Amino acid sequence: MRLTIQLKLQPTPEQADALARTLVRANEACDAISRVAWETRTFRQFAIHKATYADVRATFGLTAQVVVRCIAKVADAYKIDKKVLRTFRPLGAIAYDERILSFKAASVSIWTLDGRHAIPFVCGARQRALLAAQRGETDLALVNGAWYLFATCDVETPAPIDGEGVLGIDLGVTNIATDSDGTLHQGKALKNIRYRHRSLRNKLQRKRTQGARRRLRKLAGQERRFATWVNHNLSKRIVATAEGTKRAIALEDLKGIRTRVTARKSQRATLHSWAFFQLRAFIVYKAARSGVPVHFVDPRNTSRTCPRCGCIDKANRKTQAAFVCTRCGLAGHADVIAAGIIACRAPVNAPYYPDTEQSVAPG
Ligand SMILES: [Zn+2]
């Protein structure tokens, strides 16, 4: 499978300046290439290359590989939409290949308009290990004033674990994740921080000043980073549970989330939040990294079905937390029972095994 790992560069002011000028120049080249492509209705990469390469090389002072990447960027843009002339942000990201960018132990040697620079970078230990397997393209990007590299790595996909049984996961809001073993992964801290910020957020929203807007943005950033950290930990624990007991994981099919939204109105606001989908994505990603198969199951009535007698009734769910079957009287924690139903619905022979590109956040 392919991963994208994120490295933060620590350039000197001179190096940062060289990087910025290089991006600006490359994007000017993209604009020039794009105009030719647009005017001649030439949109395939090879054809654009033939029409523009020599001129762009002669005009912009860019190295051959950068020009090739610029042509590819323009061709990609027209793949999405040929109805308008595509233009490029002056500081939009550009791609490097291994001939113009190479990783050393703690620095990266990268081509700029001023020639090669060795620029130190920081990243986590796991990212560093993965860099050994780095092949192919790396994007240079300026994000909120800081320089980053996004490097593509090929990692070996582990053979799926050969086991029996399925660990069902019910994702919700009151209990962020509940597994069919009965463990509630609550992420309490996550709710606390939301709650703590709520009155402050309301106050700031009423103010409508620029300073208030700035503080709101900062608050949102803090919450997002914190939620990401919580999700990493929760997903790690869940996947470790499945891996340690040689089981697959079952989740509700994404399409089901809307069905569930009508069932649990009170959770609507939070259900739509990205944190919910992020946790799900982390579980899928970490499972693939560990060779844990993931099944996506039909989500209909998972929270209303009795696992003992099969009775489906809205009334089975007495409260948010309590399940009591109206027919046979089976009672238990509603989310644990839902997780059990999810586990039961997994067809044990047809695991979903992702082969798509995934990305991993730092840390
Ligand atoms: Zn029952």
Side-chain angles (χ1 to χ4, degrees):
M1 63 194 280
R2 304 185 89 188
L3 298 177
T4 305
I5 59 177
Q6 180 182 329
L7 313 169
K8 189 172 188 181
L9 294 176
Q10 300 186 301
T12 64
E14 293 75 32
Q15 288 174 332
D17 180 60
L19 292 176
R21 280 185 289 113
T22 306
L23 278 200
V24 169
R25 186 74 63 81
N27 284 296
E28 283 169 1
C30 288
D31 280 339
I33 295 162
S34 176
R35 267 193 305 279
V36 174
W38 174 252
E39 278 158 16
T40 60
R41 306 298 293 169
T42 307
F43 296 122
R44 280 179 24 253
Q45 184 171 340
F46 182 70
I48 298 175
H49 186 107
K50 252 173 57 183
T52 61
Y53 178 83
D55 279 351
V56 172
R57 274 283 274 153
T59 314
F60 287 91
L62 295 166
T63 186
Q65 276 79 37
V66 171
V67 176
V68 170
R69 295 326 312 162
C70 287
I71 290 168
K73 183 173 171 173
V74 173
D76 281 347
Y78 280 115
K79 251 181 231 163
I80 298 161
D81 184 358
K82 297 180 179 63
K83 292 191 198 76
V84 290
L85 168 68
R86 307 299 298 221
T87 56
F88 298 86
R89 287 185 299 117
L91 288 167
I94 58 164
Y96 279 77
D97 67 20
E98 59 259 45
R99 280 166 294 186
I100 44 178
L101 180 146
S102 53
F103 290 102
K104 310 274 183 277
S107 70
V108 60
S109 167
I110 184 169
W111 183 90
T112 73
L113 288 177
D114 299 348
R116 285 255 184 181
H117 274 291
I119 302 178
F121 64 81
V122 284
C123 68
R126 216 171 66 77
Q127 276 83 12
R128 203 174 290 278
L130 283 172
L131 275 183
Q134 205 273 328
R135 298 279 176 281
E137 277 184 24
T138 300
D139 284 343
L140 171 68
L142 183 63
V143 183
N144 294 330
W147 289 95
Y148 290 92
L149 292 176
F150 296 91
T152 308
C153 296
D154 281 322
V155 297
E156 219 175 287
T157 306
I161 54 166
D162 192 18
E164 284 174 18
V166 177
L167 181 68
I169 309 291
D170 179 60
L171 297 178
V173 171
T174 306
N175 301 299
I176 292 181
T178 306
D179 69 32
S180 51
D181 291 348
T183 309
L184 312 185
H185 305 271
Q186 291 193 308
K188 244 185 206 145
L190 194 63
K191 267 185 291 175
N192 286 346
I193 194 168
R194 289 253 161 83
Y195 183 78
R196 214 159 31 151
H197 284 169
R198 192 158 58 192
S199 62
L200 178 59
R201 200 189 302 116
N202 287 342
K203 211 157 59 193
L204 290 170
Q205 268 161 357
R206 277 196 301 272
K207 267 188 169 170
R208 297 167 185 279
T209 64
Q210 209 176 7
R213 270 202 296 276
R214 203 174 313 125
R215 284 204 61 194
L216 270 173
R217 263 204 306 276
K218 215 172 135 190
L219 220 56
Q222 272 175 19
E223 286 184 2
R224 211 166 41 236
R225 282 188 296 276
F226 186 72
T228 299
W229 177 78
V230 169
N231 280 343
H232 263 300
N233 287 307
L234 290 179
S235 54
K236 201 156 98 187
R237 222 186 308 154
I238 288 165
V239 171
T241 303
E243 191 185 9
T245 51
K246 292 199 184 309
R247 281 181 291 177
I249 283 175
L251 295 166
E252 285 180 308
D253 202 320
L254 254 189
K255 282 168 269 161
I257 285 176
R258 283 189 188 279
T259 325
R260 289 283 289 272
V261 167
T262 52
R264 301 184 195 176
K265 230 176 208 166
S266 62
Q267 300 177 352
R268 185 174 292 173
T270 356
L271 258 180
H272 276 293
S273 80
W274 61 271
F276 182 91
F277 293 94
Q278 186 191 46
L279 174 59
R280 202 189 147 78
F282 282 179
I283 293 171
V284 172
Y285 156 73
K286 286 184 205 295
R289 293 272 306 156
S290 308
V292 173
V294 177
H295 303 282
F296 292 112
V297 306
D298 184 349
R300 271 171 297 175
N301 299 316
T302 49
S303 60
R304 306 170 175 179
T305 304
C306 173
R308 186 158 70 197
C309 72
C311 161
I312 298 170
D313 191 342
K314 200 173 174 182
N316 284 347
R317 189 140 187 170
K318 282 256 180 298
T319 64
Q320 155 58 35
F323 182 99
V324 183
C325 177
T326 52
R327 194 197 292 165
C328 77
L330 176 87
H333 191 289
D335 291 336
V336 176
I337 286 179
I341 294 287
I342 291 168
C344 289
R345 284 187 185 171
V348 178
N349 294 322
Y352 166 85
Y353 208 64
D355 190 29
T356 47
E357 218 168 287
Q358 307 271 352
S359 80
V360 55

